[in-house]
Amino acid sequence: MTGVKKIEVSILFDREKIEVGEIVLGGKEIYFKYYPSFIDLGIEISPIKLPLSDKIYSADRLPFDGLFGVFNDSLPEGWGRLLIDRKLGNMGVPLTSVTQLDRLTFVGDSGMGALMYSPKEEMGIETDNNLNLALISEEIQEVQEGVSEDVIEKLIDLGGSSGGARPKISVGYNKTTEHLIHGTNELPEGYEHWIIKFPTSNDYPDIANIELAYYKMALDAGIEMNESRLFKDAKGKAYFGTKRFDRVENDRIHMHSAAGLMHDDFRRSNMDYGHLMDCGFKLVKHVGVYEKILRLAAFNIYAHNRDDHSNNFAFLMNPKGEWSFAPAYDLTFSSSSHGFHSTTVAGESESPEKANLMELAKEFMVKKIDISIAEVQQSIKNWKQYAEDCGVSKKNTKMIESVLKRNLNL
């Protein structure tokens, strides 16, 4: 489906579909208008760039090709976009003719968070209630190598609306039976919404083990994360999985990235952790969010997670319109494309340190941040134990340990 001129936006709260407004393509401009009935509810889905009003909005062309950030958050990045582009190419559709509205039709009601879009482009794929991780991994590799057309629609249906660069699928997971099924919007009783990641050719062979070790290290550092674990296929290969925080059973939670909230181009970001702290207080309206963000900044500094861009921070909103800082995600040993931290720390991106964290703490009047930093440092000092417990290779355990020791000045 291409050439879409109008899309209706809805939000699903407590299994009830609420009409929000409509997005209209007029020439090269994209316009949005809230419905009066939604304005009356007083719920702000994007209070910084798209506050409730009866006016007709249009966003700047950059950074989201004329789309407001709250809707751009629904679009897949990296892997998901690759799949959709491949499908469109197979259909003979020139990608230059595909608009942001066209892309939202592929999201429909299957995106992250609680927003839904109509009309929806149907995939017409039969769901599989016995997922084979090894087969899916092979199919992903075929797509990455550019040799397969047959599996693209299946992979779109499994996880094409998920964000991030690494291939991933949405599944239903039953902890009691250890059974995985297709991650449909409505899961049977006993199943939870999870995401399972697959490695790219550029990843370490034990990337899943490394990410699990980082998950456990972050928890002990006092950072909130959703439950995570390894899933193994019949061949014994491990894949990192995490429980979705935008789903509680089959209820949805509205999710908005920092990139989308502040219209920050995360590939060429100008964001500082100070901007994130300011944004967080505007939404959460509690000074406790300052410490959460500073603690996460400290972890990213000392644990060498330099891919800490604005799309890797998010906020959640419940049906009452109350916001919270989302659990941390995508925490692992990483370097950004330019080698610096993607998000600066009091203006420093090359080698941020405790002094930069203290500068932000002073500016936002955060007390006892020394304790938070010390707890983070203590956890990271135990990297070798986490790595051993999670099956990280000896080679990567040693390599990462040397970098972490340097970050900790050990």
Side-chain angles (χ1 to χ4, degrees):
M1 177 188 297
T2 57
V4 174
K5 300 297 182 184
K6 183 171 75 171
I7 282 185
E8 183 176 89
V9 183
S10 303
I11 194 165
L12 192 67
F13 274 150
D14 296 328
R15 320 268 175 106
E16 179 185 356
K17 183 179 177 181
I18 303 169
E19 295 179 344
V20 174
E22 58 186 39
I23 307 171
V24 176
L25 180 64
K28 294 183 179 180
E29 293 290 320
I30 298 176
Y31 302 94
F32 174 76
K33 192 176 190 307
Y34 285 109
Y35 291 140
S37 57
F38 188 78
I39 295 174
D40 291 342
L41 295 177
I43 298 174
E44 296 270 15
I45 61 169
S46 188
I48 296 175
K49 295 294 184 178
L50 202 59
L52 287 177
S53 170
D54 60 2
K55 65 184 274 189
I56 297 175
Y57 285 100
S58 65
D60 293 335
R61 194 70 189 164
L62 296 176
F64 304 127
D65 292 326
L67 205 60
F68 277 94
V70 67
F71 308 128
N72 188 75
D73 277 348
S74 298
L75 292 179
E77 292 287 345
W79 169 249
R81 188 180 178 101
L82 169 67
L83 290 178
I84 291 176
D85 286 354
R86 289 276 181 88
K87 173 179 170 58
L88 291 169
N90 293 341
M91 294 167 58
V93 177
L95 295 183
T96 54
S97 70
V98 179
T99 69
Q100 294 289 67
L101 272 67
D102 294 330
R103 293 186 180 280
L104 286 173
T105 67
F106 281 93
V107 174
D109 60 359
S110 63
M112 301 293 287
L115 294 181
M116 304 187 301
Y117 305 91
S118 178
K120 174 187 176 183
E121 173 73 2
E122 298 290 346
M123 289 294 103
I125 304 296
E126 293 185 8
T127 59
D128 186 353
N129 282 340
N130 289 285
L131 294 183
N132 184 328
L133 295 181
L135 178 60
I136 293 171
S137 180
E138 291 173 5
E139 292 171 340
I140 286 172
Q141 187 174 351
E142 287 181 18
V143 172
Q144 290 176 327
E145 293 172 352
V147 298
S148 176
E149 296 182 5
D150 297 335
V151 302
I152 288 177
E153 290 194 6
K154 174 184 174 182
L155 293 175
I156 290 175
D157 203 49
L158 276 168
S161 296
S162 301
R166 282 171 60 191
K168 59 192 67 172
I169 62 172
S170 297
V171 303
Y173 171 54
N174 188 310
K175 291 182 182 178
T176 304
T177 63
E178 295 285 311
H179 189 228
L180 295 175
I181 62 173
H182 188 285
T184 57
N185 289 329
E186 293 288 325
L187 294 178
E189 186 176 350
Y191 286 83
E192 298 174 333
H193 291 272
W194 281 63
I195 287 175
I196 298 178
K197 297 182 181 181
F198 292 78
T200 69
S201 58
N202 296 324
D203 284 323
Y204 301 112
D206 54 347
I207 184 63
N209 308 80
I210 293 172
E211 190 162 359
L212 184 69
Y214 265 63
Y215 157 72
K216 293 187 175 184
M217 190 163 65
L219 289 182
D220 287 348
I223 293 170
E224 180 187 357
M225 294 188 74
N226 252 29
E227 182 183 356
S228 301
R229 53 159 289 174
L230 294 182
F231 292 88
K232 294 187 177 181
D233 62 25
K235 300 177 182 179
K237 186 174 181 179
Y239 308 92
F240 181 81
T242 186
K243 186 177 178 182
R244 290 175 61 169
F245 52 68
D246 65 326
R247 298 287 188 271
V248 177
E249 295 181 347
N250 284 320
D251 288 331
R252 299 187 180 209
I253 299 174
H254 177 53
M255 184 179 77
H256 205 347
S257 73
L261 273 158
M262 293 182 274
H263 280 205
D264 180 66
D265 183 351
F266 71 88
R267 295 182 187 86
R268 303 174 185 82
S269 180
N270 293 311
M271 194 178 83
D272 191 276
Y273 279 97
H275 297 140
L276 186 61
M277 293 168 72
D278 184 57
C279 177
F281 183 74
K282 288 177 180 176
L283 268 65
V284 179
K285 296 179 172 56
H286 192 283
V287 294
V289 74
Y290 292 152
E291 192 276 339
K292 286 186 177 182
I293 293 171
L294 275 178
R295 184 183 289 263
L296 181 54
F299 183 86
N300 287 336
I301 289 171
Y302 296 116
H304 200 82
N305 179 30
R306 296 197 164 203
D307 197 30
D308 52 348
H309 56 71
S310 55
N311 222 30
N312 277 345
F313 307 103
F315 294 85
L316 304 176
M317 188 192 80
N318 66 21
K320 296 180 181 179
E322 299 166 336
W323 290 87
S324 61
F325 189 48
Y329 54 97
D330 285 353
L331 301 186
T332 191
F333 182 82
S334 64
S335 296
S336 62
S337 59
H338 47 75
F340 298 170
H341 276 273
S342 299
T343 297
T344 59
V345 186
E348 176 61 37
S349 61
E350 183 175 3
S351 300
E353 52 189 22
K354 183 176 179 179
N356 303 110
L357 293 168
M358 298 304 294
E359 183 178 339
L360 286 177
K362 182 178 180 181
E363 180 180 348
F364 289 89
M365 295 183 288
V366 183
K367 298 178 180 179
K368 299 181 180 179
I369 197 62
D370 286 73
I371 297 174
S372 302
I373 294 173
E375 289 172 351
V376 169
Q377 291 174 325
Q378 184 57 49
S379 175
I380 293 172
K381 286 177 183 177
N382 296 326
W383 156 252
K384 194 172 181 179
Q385 187 61 55
Y386 297 114
E388 183 179 322
D389 292 344
C390 296
V392 179
S393 69
K394 290 183 179 180
K395 177 183 177 182
N396 281 336
T397 297
K398 186 175 180 180
M399 179 273 294
I400 293 173
E401 182 182 30
S402 67
V403 175
L404 302 190
K405 281 185 174 181
R406 185 175 69 238
N407 292 346
L408 292 165
N409 293 317
L410 296 179

